């Protein structure tokens, strides 16, 4: 399961956001094979109106659907970071060990002023706070790379260890970038390099999202907040995703009945929870799309990496599906919904038989045929 780690300095709203996130979107344990999880880990549903539409269609046809399973995401509330974490200060060692295990990093950045909530650095300055965390992660990576490069130099010295030479070349190219305190931009590297960087578990190679925690009265127009505006410019220049949230509002929403949540948000001038945007941003940052399987026994959303073929996606359900893949019956979601499902889509010739080379698309409704 994919994981996003929530990080931030103390008193930026990180834990408030995590608690709201998991309280609002905690997946029901009965639907998933993970009933016991640690307190700092939350399994959340990916909001998707398309899944709702598919479910309603099948209910209208069959009177019921036995099970509805959304795509899910794991958020990890990582111990707060302070200066010196790369050297073990505070909970630095715990922080760094945990963050290496996540697929993406959501950095909560304080953009609100409040004299009653002390800022660990003495003032609100989003870019400085980001630089603090980035610097600590860069220093941690440099410490790791120093040891790994020394070892690789010895292994590749004779010229016989081609794999060691490959790793050494990559590490020597990224080292000066990380040493200068910069996050690695994976778009600058080849697919082979990106695969190695993911395997290397470098902290500074992980996809990054900024969650700007703004005050309640700024949520409808976050650009009116000078801190957020400056952060927006930085995020754009870096190619990093940015989501405006108000952690306090998100916490309040968890206490309201579902039917009252939208009214409350609209009274604040917004149409949806910032958490919805954060979940989608994490999903998008990791390059994920969704395909669907639909039947009376279960309607389900399946996350997959962009660029996956039909057999790759079949393997997400079960490895046997990929091994014995024959073909995929694929219908575009809109066609499926507009033509009353599988039967109507097939009658109009809108369901296509796709082979092993087919690249799955976001929103495909699919039935896999396989033989083992």
């Amino acid at each position: 399961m994919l994981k996003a780690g929530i990080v931030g300095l103390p008193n930026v709203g990180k834990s408030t956001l995590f608690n709201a996130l998991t309280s609002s979107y905690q997946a029901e344990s009965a639907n998933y094979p993970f009933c016991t999880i640690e307190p700092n880990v939350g399994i959340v549903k990916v909001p998707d109106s398309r899944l709702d539409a598919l479910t309603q269609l099948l209910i209208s046809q069959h009177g019921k659907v036995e099970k509805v399973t959304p795509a899910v995401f794991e958020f990890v509330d990582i111990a707060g970071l302070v200066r010196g974490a790369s050297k073990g200060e505070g909970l630095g060692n715990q922080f760094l060990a945990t963050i290496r295990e996540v697929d993406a990093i959501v950095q909560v950045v304080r953009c609100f002023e409040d004299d009653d909530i002390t800022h660990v650095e003495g003032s609100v300055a989003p870019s400085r706070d980001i630089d603090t965390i980035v610097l600590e992660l860069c220093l941690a990576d440099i410490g790791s790379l120093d040891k790994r490069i020394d070892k690789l130099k010895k292994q590749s010295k004779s010229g016989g260890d081609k794999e060691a030479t490959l790793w050494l070349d990559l590490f020597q190219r990224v080292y000066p970038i990380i040493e200068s305190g910069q996050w690695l931009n994976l778009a600058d590297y080849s697919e082979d390099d990106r695969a190695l960087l993911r395997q290397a578990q470098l902290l500074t190679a992980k996809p990054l999202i900024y969650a700007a925690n703004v005050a309640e009265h700024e949520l409808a127009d976050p650009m009116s907040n000078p801190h957020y505006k400056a952060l927006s410019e930085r995020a754009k220049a870096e190619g990093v995703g940015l989501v405006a949230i108000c952690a306090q509002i998100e916490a309040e929403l968890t206490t309201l009945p579902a039917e009252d949540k939208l009214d409350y948000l609209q009274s604040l001038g917004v149409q949806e929870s910032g958490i919805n945007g954060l979940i989608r941003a994490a999903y998008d940052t990791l390059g994920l799309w969704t395909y669907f399987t639909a039947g009376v026994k279960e309607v389900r959303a399946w996350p997959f990496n962009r660029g996956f073929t039909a057999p790759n996606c079949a393997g997400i359900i079960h490895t046997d599906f990929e091994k014995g893949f024959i073909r995929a019956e694929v219908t575009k979601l809109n066609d499926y919904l507009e033509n009353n499902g599988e039967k109507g889509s097939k009658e109009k010739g809108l369901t296509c038989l796709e082979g092993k080379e087919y690249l799955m698309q976001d929103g495909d409704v699919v039935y896999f045929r396989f033989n083992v």
Side-chain angles (χ1 to χ4, degrees):
M1 183 185 305
L2 291 162
K3 298 181 183 180
I6 301 178
V7 306
L9 297 176
N11 295 339
V12 297
K14 177 175 66 69
S15 294
T16 301
L17 175 63
F18 175 80
N19 291 336
L21 185 73
T22 52
S23 296
S24 296
Y25 294 96
Q26 186 87 33
E28 294 178 9
S29 58
N31 286 346
Y32 305 97
F34 30 76
C35 299
T36 304
I37 53 178
E38 295 181 11
N40 65 330
V41 177
I43 309 299
V44 301
K45 304 173 187 177
V46 177
D48 196 329
S49 60
R50 301 172 299 178
L51 182 67
D52 300 332
L54 275 173
T55 301
Q56 291 306 312
L57 174 62
L58 267 73
I59 290 175
S60 71
Q61 292 176 333
H62 304 285
K64 67 173 184 177
V65 167
E66 293 180 15
K67 188 177 181 181
V68 179
T69 307
V72 293
F73 215 96
E74 185 172 302
F75 280 90
V76 184
D77 185 19
I78 296 173
L81 178 145
V82 295
R83 290 185 186 274
S86 59
K87 298 178 181 178
E89 294 292 331
L91 292 173
N93 292 330
Q94 177 185 339
F95 176 96
L96 296 170
T98 306
I99 203 170
R100 289 193 191 281
E101 299 175 359
V102 303
D103 301 290
I105 297 172
V106 177
Q107 183 172 349
V108 181
V109 185
R110 178 171 168 176
C111 292
F112 66 90
E113 301 280 356
D114 190 332
D115 293 337
D116 293 329
I117 302 177
T118 304
H119 193 291
V120 69
E121 296 284 0
S123 62
V124 177
S127 279
R128 179 204 58 210
D129 293 354
I130 290 172
D131 289 341
T132 295
I133 287 186
V134 170
L135 175 61
E136 294 301 328
L137 298 185
C138 285
L139 289 172
D141 274 350
I142 288 299
S144 172
L145 285 173
D146 281 338
K147 297 175 183 176
R148 295 162 85 172
I149 287 174
D150 284 344
K151 184 178 180 180
L152 288 167
K153 282 181 177 178
K154 294 175 184 177
Q155 291 175 332
S156 61
K157 203 167 187 178
S158 63
D161 193 333
K162 293 183 179 180
E163 185 176 355
T165 302
L166 190 68
W167 279 108
L168 180 61
D169 172 67
L170 176 62
F171 286 163
Q172 288 179 328
R173 281 187 282 129
V174 302
Y175 190 97
I177 298 172
I178 300 172
E179 188 179 36
S180 69
Q182 297 181 58
W183 207 262
L184 297 178
N185 185 347
L186 295 186
D188 295 338
Y189 297 88
S190 68
E191 182 54 46
D192 288 343
D193 282 347
R194 289 197 293 270
L196 288 175
L197 286 170
R198 285 190 289 269
Q199 191 178 336
Q201 287 193 309
L202 291 176
L203 302 172
T204 52
K206 294 183 182 294
L208 182 65
I209 302 165
Y210 298 141
N213 193 6
V214 300
E216 176 180 322
H217 66 276
E218 297 165 336
L219 192 58
D221 182 20
M223 291 299 281
S224 65
N225 177 324
H227 297 307
Y228 180 88
K229 185 175 181 181
L231 181 57
S232 175
E233 293 170 357
R234 173 172 180 157
K236 185 177 181 180
E238 295 175 342
V240 173
L242 173 64
V243 179
I245 53 111
C246 176
Q248 191 56 48
I249 287 177
E250 300 300 339
E252 292 172 9
L253 284 171
T254 65
T255 67
L256 297 176
E259 59 273 16
D260 293 339
K261 290 182 179 181
L262 181 58
D263 289 341
Y264 180 44
L265 288 169
Q266 289 179 339
S267 73
L268 298 172
V270 294
Q271 296 302 312
E272 70 169 359
S273 161
I275 285 178
N276 276 10
L278 179 58
I279 294 171
R280 280 197 294 267
Y283 204 72
D284 186 62
T285 296
L286 287 170
L288 297 176
W289 278 345
T290 302
Y291 75 84
F292 301 95
T293 52
V296 68
K297 289 189 175 181
E298 183 181 34
V299 180
R300 182 159 182 165
W302 299 88
F304 69 97
N305 293 96
R306 296 172 197 172
F308 266 24
T309 62
N312 293 151
C313 286
I316 295 171
I317 300 176
H318 197 287
T319 54
D320 285 349
F321 283 29
E322 183 171 9
K323 292 176 183 176
F325 178 88
I326 299 174
R327 64 177 179 271
E329 298 179 5
V330 180
T331 309
K332 300 305 177 188
L333 179 70
N334 287 342
D335 291 336
Y336 194 94
L337 294 173
E338 292 172 3
N339 292 282
N340 207 29
E342 180 182 358
K343 184 179 178 182
S345 299
K346 286 183 175 179
E347 288 174 350
K348 292 192 176 182
L350 298 171
T351 297
C352 300
L353 301 181
E354 303 289 358
K356 293 182 178 181
E357 303 302 317
Y358 176 69
L359 295 177
M360 293 283 286
Q361 300 298 305
D362 188 39
D364 281 350
V365 182
V366 61
Y367 179 81
F368 294 110
R369 294 197 177 275
F370 70 101
N371 181 32
V372 177

